[in-house]
Amino acid sequence: MRRRPESSSTAPDTSAKKSSGTSKTDEEAKLNHGIQIRTARRSGFTWLTLFAVIVYSSWAVYQYQYENLPVPLTAEQAGKRGFSEVAAMKHVKALTELGPHTIGSDAIELALQYVLAELENIKKTAHWEVDVEVDLFHVNVGATRLDSGMFVDRTIIYSDLDHIVLRMLPKYAPEARENAILVSSHIDTVFSTEGAGDCSSCVSVMLELARGISQWAHGFKNAVIFLFNTGEEEGLSGAHSFITQHPWSTTIRMAIDLEAMGIGGKSAIFQAGPHPLAVETFASVAKYPSGNIIFQDIFSSGVIKSATDFQVYREVAGLSGLDFVYADHGAVYHTKNDKLKLLKSGSLQHLGENMLAFLLQISTSSHLSKANATVDDIQSSHDSAVYYDILGQYMVIYRQRFANMLHSSVILQSLLIWTTSLLMGGSTAAVSLAFSCLSNILMWIFSISFSVLAAFILPLISSSPLPYLSIPSLVLGLFAAPAFLGALTGQHLGYLVLKRYLSNVYAKRKQLSPAIQADLIKLETERWLFKAGSLQWLVLLVIGTYYKIGSSYLALVWLVPPAFAYGLLEATLTPGRLPKPLKLATLWMGLAIPILVSAGQVIKLTTVIIGLSVRFIRHPGGTPEWLPSLGLSLFIAVVICLTLVYLLSYIHLSGAKTSIVLSTCILFALSLAVVFSGIIPPFTEETARAVNLVHVVDTTGGFGEKPNSYISLFSFTPGKFTKEVEEIKEGFACGRHNAIDYVTFSVKYGCLTYDGTEEGWDESNIPTLDVVKDINGDKRITQVKIDTKRSIRWFLAINTEEIEDFTFNVGLEELVAADGKRSIDGWHTIQASGGKNAPTKFELTLFWLQNSTRRSDKMVQSEQRPLLRIRTDLPGVVTPKVETVLEKLPPWYSLFGKSTSPHTLSFLSSLPIDF
C-alpha cells in the first residue's frame, strides 16, 4: 500500500498558490494557443496567387469592357432599318483613298461630292412618308471667340467653307421641323493623314445612320439633322459657321457630336449635358453603353489640351447633348498611321447600333425642348448627370442632386461609425488612428518618390524619354513596380511606428504574456492599417461631394464595399474582444465591386495618357524631356496608393514580404534592362514619332534684312534628333540655339539646315504688314493693311502689352469688333483659314494703351517683342529640299498636323513697335 506524502503547515497556502498559478498559466496558454492558431503565416505562394488573380481580374474587366466589340453586320443582316458596319466601311475606304483632305484642297471637294452623292441616293430610297432635304451650304466669311478651352486667347476667322446638311422629318407632321436633333461630325482632316479614324469613321457612321433613319422618320415627333461640316481641324470653324449662319440652326434643341482622338475601339461618351435628358435616354436604350464622367471631368479641367465641335454647340448655341469619341491607339492621332487597316472590326457597329437606338428613342420624345435649358440653369439646380458604364453592358446614371444626398448620407454614417469607434476605444484608438494615417502619408510619399525617380532615370538609359510607347505594358515594370514597392515601404514604416506605440500600451496589461502581447499588437496594427485605407477614401468623398465632382462616385465605390465587408466579417462592438487576423474573404468581398466598376476605367485612362505623350509638348524643347513620364508615373503612383491600400495592410503579417519585394525588384530591373538594351524600340511604323518638317522663309529681321530660308525639323514628342540627323545627312544642326517663333508656339529645341533651301518658294509669297495710318491724338490709333498673298491659312499675333483692343475688317465688313480680347503671355492671336477663294487682304485697326508712348531705351529692351507677328502657310506645297528630307526620314517618323502647327512651307514676318 502506497503512503501518502506528508505536508507542512504551509502546504495548503503553497498548494493554493500553485493551483491559482497553474490555473492562470493554463488560461494564458489557452489564449496563447488560440492566437497562435489564428496568426498562421500567409505563405508567399498564397500572395503571389492573390496578386495574379487581382491583376488577371482587372485585365479581364478591361478586355470585356473596352475590347469586346460587336460582330459587324452586312447590309443583308442589318436590313433596311438596321445599321451595317460592312456598308459603312465602304464609305471609310472611299474617303481615305482621297488622301489628306484639308480645307481648300482638291481632295476636300471630292470628299464633299462623295458625301453629297450618297445623301442624294438616301433621299431617293427613303420611306415615302419621310421628307428628306439635302442642302449644300456655303459660308462666305465669319469669326468667333470661345470663352474657354485651348482657343480662349484667339479670334478664329473662317471663309469660303462648304458644309452638307441633311434634314429628315415626317412628311405629314410639319411641326416636327421646329424641334430638331443635330448629329454632327467633320469631313476635313489635317494635312498629315488620310483620317480613317479622325473622322472618316464618324462621317461613315452618319451616312449609314442616315440611310437607316430614312426608313423610320415617318413616326418621329422631331426632325433629325445631319451636319457634315468642314473646318473643324482649323479651329472648330465648321460648327460655328453652321450654328451662326444656317437657317435650320434655330430649330436645334439637342446636339450630338462624333469625334476621334485615336482610331476605332468603342466610341464612348466623352462629354454630356449640361441637361441630363440626352445621356439618360442613351443609357436607357443603348445596346452597348460606353461612357464615364471621369473623362468629362478631366477634359473640363483643361488637362487635355484639345477641343471638339461640342464646345461650340454648348458654349455658343447653349445646347445640351452628347459628345462621343473614339480613343483607341491615341498615339496615331493626326499622323500617317490614322489609316484604314488599324480600324478595329466592330468599332463602327458599336457606335452605329448605339446611335440608331438613341435617335429612334429621342426623336419620338415630347420633352426635347426641355433639353435646351442653359448651362447656368442646369448648374444652379445641381441637376446634371453622373454616369458610368459597367463592363460596357449597363450604364449607371443618376442626377447630381441624388449624388449629393447619397454621398452625404454615406459621409454622415461613416463619421458616426468612426466617432463611436473612437469613443469606445478612448485615447488609445485616437492615437492609433493618427499613426495609421501617418502610415498612409508615408505610403504616398514613398510611392510617388520611387515612381518619380524611375521617370528621371529613363532619359538617362534610353534613346527616347518615352521607351514604353510601342509596348504600353512596360509601364507595369517601369512605374507600377517602383510605385508599389514605395507604397509597401512607406506603409511598413508606419506599421512599425504604430506597432511600437501599441507595444507600450499592451506592456501595461500585466495579465498577458509577452508572446501573446506581440501577436495581439501585430493583429491590431494590421486592422488599423486596413481601416485607414477606408478613411482616405472617405476624405476624397467629402472633397468630391463638396465641390460636386461627378467622378467622386469612385470614392463611394472604394469606400462602401470594403467597409461593409469589414463590418460584416471583422468588426465587433465588444471592447474586450481580442483582435483576430483579417480574413482573406474580407479582402475578396471588399475589392470585388471596386475592381468590377473601376479597373477597366483605370487601365483605359492609362492607355489614353500614354497615347497623349506623343504630342505632349506645347512648345517643342520648352519642357524637360522627363515631364511626360513624370506625369504618367505620378498617375500610376496615385492609383497604386488609392487602390492597393487595403491589400497592402495584409502583407505585413504574411510570410511573403521578402518574395513580394524580390519579385517587384526583379520586374523593375528586367524592365530597365529591356529599355537599356534597346530590344524594344520606343517607336514603330504603327506607333510613330510625331515630327514637323517645315521650309521656313523668315523676314522677321532677326536674321538680317534679306529673307532667310531654312528647313526646320522639330517634334511635339519629347526627345532629341541626334542619331536620326546623322543618318539623314542633309546638313542639319540641332540644339536649343535654333529657337524659332511660329506665332502660335515656339520651338526651343530643333534642327536647322540652310543647304539647298533657295528653291521651291518665291518672294512674292511673303506676307506684308503695311501701316497706312498712325494717328497720335488722345488715343493712338494705327491702321495696318495685311496681305497674305497666296496663303489661305495664316496666324497673326497682336502684342497686348501695347495694344488695348482692335477691329478687323474684310473689305468693308467689320468682322471683329473692338469689344475686349483675352490674351495669354501678352499676345492675342488671330487664326484664319478657308477655302480656295478665301480672301487674302484685310485691314487691322489697333487701339493703343494710354501708357504705350515709348522712350528709346525702353524700345531697345523691347526690340525682340514686335507689335505684330505673322505666319502664313502654303498648304500642299512641298519644296524640293523638304521632299528630299521626307524621303530620308525613318519609317517610325510621321508628319504631325494640328490647328496651330505649320504645313511644309511657311513664311514668317513681323511689324516692329517702332515702325
Side-chain angles (χ1 to χ4, degrees), residues 144-157:
T144 180
R145 285 199 311 274
L146 298 175
D147 295 329
S148 61
M150 64 182 295
F151 298 115
V152 70
D153 63 328
R154 66 192 60 181
T155 299
I156 298 171
I157 308 291

Side-chain angles (χ1 to χ4, degrees), residues 224-241:
V224 178
I225 295 175
F226 291 91
L227 169 63
F228 303 84
N229 72 66
T230 61
E232 191 273 348
E233 297 292 5
E234 298 295 343
L236 316 181
S237 303
H240 185 272
S241 59

Side-chain angles (χ1 to χ4, degrees), residues 435-707:
F435 281 125
S436 61
C437 290
L438 174 65
S439 74
N440 276 359
I441 294 173
L442 292 173
M443 173 187 69
W444 281 82
I445 293 174
F446 277 81
S447 180
I448 291 175
S449 299
F450 283 24
S451 187
V452 166
L453 180 61
F456 285 121
I457 291 174
L458 286 185
L460 303 178
I461 65 172
S462 172
S463 59
S464 168
L466 307 174
Y468 44 80
L469 280 176
S470 61
I471 308 292
S473 58
L474 265 178
V475 301
L476 289 174
L478 294 174
F479 300 132
F484 175 80
L485 189 61
L488 179 59
T489 302
Q491 194 184 71
H492 191 69
L493 290 176
Y495 165 83
L496 295 176
V497 173
L498 178 56
K499 190 173 75 169
R500 185 177 183 85
Y501 166 73
L502 291 176
S503 297
N504 295 332
V505 173
Y506 273 85
K508 300 175 183 178
R509 303 179 184 180
K510 303 296 183 181
Q511 70 274 19
L512 297 176
S513 69
I516 296 174
Q517 288 183 12
D519 287 338
L520 294 179
I521 289 167
K522 293 176 182 178
L523 295 176
E524 190 164 349
T525 303
E526 179 183 59
R527 286 170 168 263
W528 275 111
L529 294 182
F530 186 92
K531 291 187 286 187
S534 65
L535 185 61
Q536 75 174 9
W537 281 109
L538 176 60
V539 171
L540 291 177
L541 182 61
V542 171
I543 295 172
T545 303
Y546 180 79
Y547 289 103
K548 298 179 176 59
I549 301 173
S551 301
S552 57
Y553 82 87
L554 279 176
L556 187 73
V557 169
W558 280 90
L559 169 63
V560 174
F564 176 80
Y566 183 89
L568 181 66
L569 301 178
E570 307 289 354
T572 176
L573 297 177
T574 306
R577 184 176 176 181
L578 296 176
K580 300 176 182 179
L582 291 175
K583 303 178 181 66
L584 286 179
T586 304
L587 190 64
W588 286 119
M589 183 183 293
L591 295 186
I593 293 178
I595 289 176
L596 182 69
V597 172
S598 62
Q601 312 290 357
V602 170
I603 296 174
K604 181 64 176 179
L605 187 54
T606 303
T607 62
V608 170
I609 294 174
I610 293 173
L612 290 173
S613 300
V614 173
R615 54 190 186 277
F616 175 82
I617 301 175
R618 182 182 177 188
H619 301 282
T623 54
E625 291 184 346
W626 41 259
L627 193 58
S629 292
L630 176 66
L632 180 60
S633 67
L634 282 172
F635 171 76
I636 290 176
V638 168
V639 170
I640 293 289
C641 291
L642 288 175
T643 60
L644 297 187
V645 62
Y646 299 113
L647 176 66
L648 291 172
S649 63
Y650 277 72
I651 296 177
H652 308 291
L653 293 188
S654 73
K657 288 193 295 291
T658 302
S659 58
I660 289 174
V661 171
L662 184 60
S663 300
T664 307
C665 290
I666 291 174
L667 177 61
F668 179 55
L670 287 175
S671 301
L672 288 180
V674 167
V675 171
F676 181 75
S677 65
I679 296 175
I680 299 177
F683 303 103
T684 64
E685 289 194 43
E686 293 188 353
T687 306
R689 182 180 183 183
V691 301
N692 287 82
L693 185 67
V694 189
H695 192 143
V696 179
V697 180
D698 196 326
T699 62
T700 57
F703 299 93
E705 296 182 358
K706 293 183 62 177

Side-chain angles (χ1 to χ4, degrees), residues 1-6:
M1 184 175 178
R2 178 186 255 175
R3 291 184 61 186
R4 187 175 183 176
E6 297 179 1

Side-chain angles (χ1 to χ4, degrees), residues 397-411:
I397 183 167
Y398 45 88
R399 301 283 180 100
Q400 184 64 54
R401 184 178 299 172
F402 175 77
N404 294 339
M405 294 172 55
L406 177 63
H407 295 179
S408 298
S409 174
V410 171
I411 290 169

Side-chain angles (χ1 to χ4, degrees), residues 209-377:
L209 278 173
R211 183 200 59 77
I213 293 293
S214 69
Q215 306 301 320
W216 286 95
H218 58 284
F220 288 177
K221 296 179 181 178
N222 309 293
V224 178
I225 295 175
F226 291 91
L227 169 63
F228 303 84
N229 72 66
T230 61
E232 191 273 348
E233 297 292 5
E234 298 295 343
L236 316 181
S237 303
H240 185 272
S241 59
F242 170 78
I243 284 295
T244 56
Q245 299 187 34
H246 198 282
W248 294 352
S249 64
T250 58
T251 68
I252 295 172
R253 303 291 176 259
M254 180 182 292
I256 312 299
D257 182 50
L258 308 184
E259 254 298 352
M261 287 176 55
I263 181 169
K266 287 191 174 182
S267 182
I269 297 177
F270 189 52
Q271 298 180 88
H275 195 283
L277 176 62
V279 68
E280 287 175 344
T281 303
F282 178 82
S284 66
V285 299
K287 190 174 181 180
Y288 316 104
S290 183
N292 198 299
I293 197 171
I294 295 175
F295 298 100
Q296 177 174 317
D297 286 343
I298 293 174
F299 189 76
S300 300
S301 70
V303 173
I304 299 177
K305 300 296 182 183
S306 186
T308 70
D309 283 339
F310 189 71
Q311 180 181 356
V312 174
Y313 302 137
R314 179 171 175 167
E315 192 174 298
V316 178
L319 297 170
S320 292
L322 300 173
D323 194 8
F324 290 88
V325 65
Y326 284 116
D328 272 20
H329 299 295
V332 311
Y333 176 73
H334 283 191
T335 69
K336 65 181 182 181
N337 290 317
D338 185 4
K339 51 192 176 184
L340 184 60
K341 76 173 187 177
L342 293 183
L343 186 57
K344 291 181 181 178
S345 175
S347 300
L348 306 189
Q349 193 70 40
H350 174 265
L351 176 59
E353 289 197 51
N354 282 344
M355 281 298 301
L356 182 59
F358 169 76
L359 290 174
L360 293 179
Q361 181 70 21
I362 199 68
S363 297
T364 58
S365 172
S366 302
H367 308 289
L368 190 61
S369 59
K370 298 179 181 179
N372 206 22
T374 66
V375 176
D376 292 337
D377 291 339

Side-chain angles (χ1 to χ4, degrees), residues 8-225:
S8 63
S9 59
T10 60
D13 293 334
T14 304
S15 299
K17 289 180 181 180
K18 287 182 179 180
S19 176
S20 175
T22 302
S23 176
K24 187 174 181 179
T25 302
D26 291 343
E27 183 181 346
E28 292 179 359
K30 291 178 182 179
L31 182 61
N32 188 34
H33 178 70
I35 294 177
Q36 287 179 342
I37 292 175
R38 296 179 185 275
T39 55
R41 293 164 64 88
R42 301 166 183 136
S43 68
F45 176 78
T46 301
W47 278 105
L48 290 177
T49 303
L50 180 64
F51 272 112
V53 171
I54 290 177
V55 171
Y56 177 78
S57 300
S58 300
W59 184 250
V61 168
Y62 167 75
Q63 288 289 317
Y64 192 85
Q65 187 168 5
Y66 287 104
E67 300 295 330
N68 183 32
L69 293 167
V71 177
L73 298 180
T74 63
E76 293 74 19
Q77 291 172 323
K80 289 200 303 181
R81 292 185 163 193
F83 184 92
S84 167
E85 176 175 305
V86 175
M89 285 296 286
K90 294 178 181 177
H91 302 313
V92 180
K93 186 174 186 295
L95 290 171
T96 54
E97 284 178 348
L98 299 175
H101 29 287
T102 60
I103 59 173
S105 65
D106 293 335
I108 193 66
E109 294 180 359
L110 294 174
L112 285 165
Q113 291 173 14
Y114 176 84
V115 172
L116 185 61
E118 291 298 319
L119 294 181
E120 291 292 347
N121 289 333
I122 291 172
K123 182 177 181 179
K124 293 176 184 177
T125 58
H127 191 280
W128 68 275
E129 291 183 287
V130 176
D131 190 5
V132 180
E133 302 171 78
V134 180
D135 180 28
L136 179 59
F137 177 56
H138 181 75
V139 178
N140 288 321
V141 69
T144 180
R145 285 199 311 274
L146 298 175
D147 295 329
S148 61
M150 64 182 295
F151 298 115
V152 70
D153 63 328
R154 66 192 60 181
T155 299
I156 298 171
I157 308 291
Y158 52 83
S159 54
D160 191 34
L161 299 180
D162 290 305
H163 315 313
I164 301 175
V165 193
L166 172 74
R167 181 164 68 175
M168 294 184 186
L169 66 156
K171 187 172 292 184
Y172 302 107
E175 66 276 6
R177 71 179 64 240
E178 297 304 317
N179 293 292
I181 302 105
L182 174 69
V183 182
S184 170
S185 191
H186 63 95
I187 301 177
D188 61 309
T189 70
V190 294
F191 79 97
S192 54
T193 179
E194 62 190 35
D198 185 20
C199 212
S200 295
S201 59
C202 312
V203 170
S204 301
V205 167
M206 286 173 57
L207 286 172
E208 180 63 6
L209 278 173
R211 183 200 59 77
I213 293 293
S214 69
Q215 306 301 320
W216 286 95
H218 58 284
F220 288 177
K221 296 179 181 178
N222 309 293
V224 178
I225 295 175

